[in-house]
Amino acid sequence: PVAGAHDAGARSDSGGHLIVWSFLGLDSTEGWTGITRRAFRGDLTTGTWTELPPVPGQAGRLAATAQVVRGKVYLIGGYTVDSAGGERSVPEVDVWDPATGSWSAAAPMPVPTDDVVSGVWRDSLIYIVSGWHDTDNVRDVQVYDPAADRWTAATPIPGPGVFGHTGGIVGDAIVYVDGVARRPPGEQPRYMMVPQAWVGRIDPAETSRIAWSWLPEQPGSPTYRAAAAPCGDRLVFFGGTANPYNSNGVGYDGVPSEPSAFRFAWSATTGTWGDTLTAPVATMDHRALALARSGAWVVGGMRSGQRVSANVTAVPRPDC
């Protein structure tokens, strides 16, 4: 119903309908007053949208992440922006229960982070991988157990802490690619892309233990704020940009960022990259890709020219 980027998205199924969720984010003004607390439920089977009660809190947030576990939606972290441009990472975990149509609060993140990679392991645990905390990136992997309402620390990532990276969980594997790191003091622009790819194997007997190993770089250009989702034995990636930016789509180097239309995937069975193609539409500023048997979609985001979009964009779906 409205144009939005920088939001937290997730998907679920309800009675044979594909449901997508969109929370928080930035409206088409692209300014701090356009950071919103709005929340939406989209039924992609019927093509209808419903606005939900706003996300709790006094201020909207950017770069939060959302995941669905056993029917409930967990909205985690993000950052707020004040009128002077000051940013603060927040620890909030807000829970939307579709059955009751209400919000509740869960245990806050031990290390507040935003612009993270997140994923769900076996419909039971949510993993939060790296991201930005107030003044710098962190290498932390934080694990939330919704059943116990408890956080634990897992094996940190082996590479540099990054934000705006892309990835998720497929089977027992966490995969993430690329992301942005701070340059040493005095170097410009302040942030740089980090071409990288890692896989972490979760130990089912001790879920805080992750065996990390290096992967060959993904087949496209380094990507920032792309969308990703598991699909069978694969993790599918789409969109993003090669030029990192903060919130308005203009790169840290002062050059307007342009979105990508590239799709690729990583196979947990073969451990290799594949399924590459260029989609008809380029888009960036996503985290979640809504995948179902009938297709794949991204919601909102930014199009060419830094235009905040209200479109639900179909993405060619691999055969998985």
Side-chain angles (χ1 to χ4, degrees):
V2 298
H6 232 58
D7 63 325
R11 62 140 291 186
S12 60
D13 298 288
S14 176
H17 289 227
L18 173 63
I19 307 301
V20 295
W21 308 91
S22 177
F23 306 102
L24 306 168
L26 185 68
D27 69 17
S28 57
T29 66
E30 301 184 27
W32 78 272
T33 58
I35 300 173
T36 179
R37 293 170 48 223
R38 297 178 80 172
F40 295 93
R41 174 190 186 272
D43 185 330
L44 296 194
T45 304
T46 63
T48 57
W49 285 87
T50 304
E51 185 159 8
L52 309 174
V55 176
Q58 297 300 310
R61 313 199 298 264
L62 301 176
T65 191
Q67 294 290 348
V68 177
V69 177
R70 297 177 184 173
K72 294 184 178 181
V73 190
Y74 294 83
L75 177 61
I76 302 172
Y79 69 93
T80 59
V81 183
D82 61 30
S83 59
E87 300 176 359
R88 183 179 71 87
S89 303
V90 299
E92 276 81 0
V93 179
D94 298 298
V95 186
W96 174 256
D97 186 348
T100 63
S102 62
W103 288 101
S104 61
M109 268 194 296
V111 181
T113 50
D114 56 76
D115 248 340
V116 303
V117 158
S118 69
V120 175
W121 180 77
R122 300 190 182 184
D123 199 27
S124 63
L125 301 176
I126 301 173
Y127 284 73
I128 304 294
V129 181
S130 193
W132 182 264
H133 169 63
D134 282 342
T135 59
D136 207 347
N137 292 311
V138 297
R139 295 175 53 241
D140 301 72
V141 177
Q142 303 177 79
V143 185
Y144 178 65
D145 181 346
D149 191 25
R150 181 179 63 231
W151 288 89
T152 57
T155 309
I157 62 171
V162 287
F163 69 88
H165 45 319
T166 306
I169 293 178
V170 56
D172 293 335
I174 303 174
V175 174
Y176 73 92
V177 302
D178 305 327
V180 173
R182 280 182 57 177
R183 289 184 183 273
E187 292 189 11
Q188 295 296 327
R190 290 182 59 197
Y191 302 99
M192 62 181 179
M193 288 288 293
V194 181
Q196 60 177 347
W198 296 90
V199 57
R201 306 286 180 178
I202 300 168
D203 184 346
E206 188 176 339
T207 52
S208 63
R209 185 163 56 196
I210 304 171
W212 291 101
S213 57
W214 171 86
L215 286 176
E217 291 178 17
Q218 51 95 346
S221 300
T223 189
Y224 173 75
R225 289 181 179 162
C231 181
D233 74 331
R234 281 171 260 187
L235 190 65
V236 182
F237 299 76
F238 174 74
T241 182
N243 186 31
Y245 56 90
N246 188 355
S247 59
N248 64 1
V250 177
Y252 293 109
D253 59 1
V255 177
S257 301
E258 286 298 321
S260 169
F262 190 61
R263 191 208 72 192
F264 60 95
W266 180 80
S267 168
T269 302
T270 65
T272 58
W273 299 105
D275 293 312
T276 60
L277 61 75
T278 300
V281 177
T283 181
M284 65 186 188
D285 214 283
H286 300 287
R287 287 159 190 83
L289 181 65
L291 272 163
R293 290 184 182 274
S294 55
W297 297 267
V298 287
V299 177
M302 283 189 182
R303 299 291 182 87
S304 182
Q306 299 74 57
R307 179 174 59 87
V308 177
S309 174
N311 291 350
V312 178
T313 304
V315 178
R317 176 191 178 277
D319 184 19
C320 53

